[in-house]
Amino acid sequence: MSEGTRNLVIAGSGVAGLSAAVYAARADLDPLVLEGDEPGGQLTLTTDVENYLGFPEGVGGMDLVQRGREQAERFGAEFRHGTIESADLTGQPKLLELSTGERLRTRALVVATGASARWVGADGEDELMGYGLSTCATCDGAFHRGDDVLVVGGGDSAMEEALFLAKFADSVTVLHRREELRASEIMADRAREHDDVEFRWNTELLAVQGSQEAGVTGARLVSHPDGYPTEQREAGEDVTVEEVDIGGVFYAIGHEPNTEFLRDTPVELDGGGYVRTADGVDAWATTATATDGVFAAGDVMDREYQQAVTAAGMGSMAALDAETWLESNDPVSAEPESVPAEPGD
Ligand SMILES: Cc1cc2nc3c(=O)[nH]c(=O)nc-3n(C[C@H](O)[C@H](O)[C@H](O)COP(=O)(O)OP(=O)(O)OC[C@H]3O[C@@H](n4cnc5c(N)ncnc54)[C@H](O)[C@@H]3O)c2cc1C
């Protein structure tokens, strides 16, 4: 399908993309929002959001993003199914190729494609994610007052999650598949010295148990004295499998920013694959990337905070930055151009 050049395409329909869509639509930019494989983004994986401003009783994750979408649509934002598979961002207009086979042309692009938390692959995780199993202690820790919880991971973020959870939980047990942590010395020491944080070395999670009604109630663990117990088990070694009663499980084994489609573009990524945006006092806009007319917002460029409210804030910034850029670089009111069907034609 070919269509005219858009003013603005927003890649991603999580809170960052939705917030960008509200601002851009209200500015008459006629934004097109590409939903990606996960319409509504990561918040659709959680039941209660208690720390988003304006909802004193909390709000369901799904409810929040649905409201955001309705708000953006009310001002004229268009939503479309599809994921960007590749992009040519070198010239103008920018060319996007979608998983649906569609090809789009746009003057400006907001990248709000998020960063997916890595999952362990344990049994039961699909059913229980958001129901006592989480990838975000800041978000869900307060639901575990008085519980015994597990944290899976061995890096700095696992130590941070464990220390944060220790404020609420009765006990926090860090599961690590080796005997040595990857975490920095200082973070590892803080966790080791905390009275309520324990470590289970050479141990991995096989299954999360419970139900969506009751939440997480237990876990099945596997251990081997030489570490990497699931690999040992696959190699036919004797391993110890046990079941434990617990009230919550937190994955802290890193995030994967959704930036694969940017790999061959001039947009700069950092070592972890996150989009680099401009910084420093001379930067004219904080969401601008190294590529003219490409802006980034939310978890895809923020490895630090990764919260709904920060992502929404950055989404609005990206839309405002894109609007300013469009005003000075390309007439926003330009008539759609007729375009060839193939990018690069
Ligand atoms: C279980 C869980 C509970 C959480 N609870 C809370 C909480 O209580 N409070 C809080 O503040 N935060 C919470 N968070 C964190 C919060 O969800 C994220 O910080 C927030 O969703 C980030 O928004 P985002 O728009 O940047 O990215 P995401 O929400 O990750 O959205 C990314 C969007 O990009 C799309 N996409 C991906 N790749 C492409 C592509 N190539 N082309 C087009 N689209 C693409 C996806 O389909 C998705 O729509 C939680 C996260 C999880 C996983």
Side-chain angles (χ1 to χ4, degrees), residues 10-18 33-52 59 64-65 82-86 98-99 111-117 119 129-131 133-136 138-140 143 255 257-261 297-302 305-312 314:
I10 298 169
S13 57
V15 269
L18 291 172
V33 182
L34 299 175
E35 292 182 301
D37 288 342
E38 193 172 48
Q42 291 173 66
L43 274 191
T44 60
L45 295 175
T46 192
T47 41
D48 294 310
V49 180
E50 289 192 329
N51 53 7
Y52 198 88
V59 59
L64 184 60
V65 291
T83 296
I84 302 179
E85 287 202 329
S86 62
L98 308 192
S99 51
V111 177
T113 48
S116 308
W119 290 23
M129 183 57 76
Y131 296 85
L133 170 61
S134 174
T135 55
C136 177
T138 315
C139 314
D140 296 331
F143 297 121
H255 285 80
N258 300 314
T259 50
E260 201 47 49
F261 69 98
D299 286 9
V300 74
M301 49 78 82
D302 163 32
Y305 302 104
Q306 302 199 330
Q307 293 295 294
V309 73
T310 51
M314 285 183 257

Side-chain angles (χ1 to χ4, degrees), residues 18 28 33 45 67 111 114 119 124 138 153 158 167 210 267 280 323 338-339:
L18 291 172
D28 284 341
V33 182
L45 295 175
R67 285 166 184 247
V111 177
W119 290 23
T138 315
K167 295 178 188 179
V267 172
E323 184 189 1
S338 89
V339 295

Side-chain angles (χ1 to χ4, degrees), residues 211-233:
S211 66
Q212 294 191 348
E213 293 69 38
V216 168
T217 54
R220 191 157 64 247
L221 312 181
V222 59
S223 49
H224 187 280
D226 295 337
Y228 302 99
T230 48
E231 284 174 29
Q232 307 278 5
R233 188 162 81 144

Side-chain angles (χ1 to χ4, degrees), residues 21 25 32 35 38 49 69 80 99 108 115 178-179 192 220 228 292 300 311 319 326 336 341-342:
L32 172 67
E35 292 182 301
E38 193 172 48
V49 180
R69 179 176 175 143
R80 196 174 292 176
S99 51
R178 303 188 293 141
E179 230 161 18
R192 282 196 204 101
R220 191 157 64 247
Y228 302 99
D292 230 18
V300 74
L326 282 162
E342 300 292 321

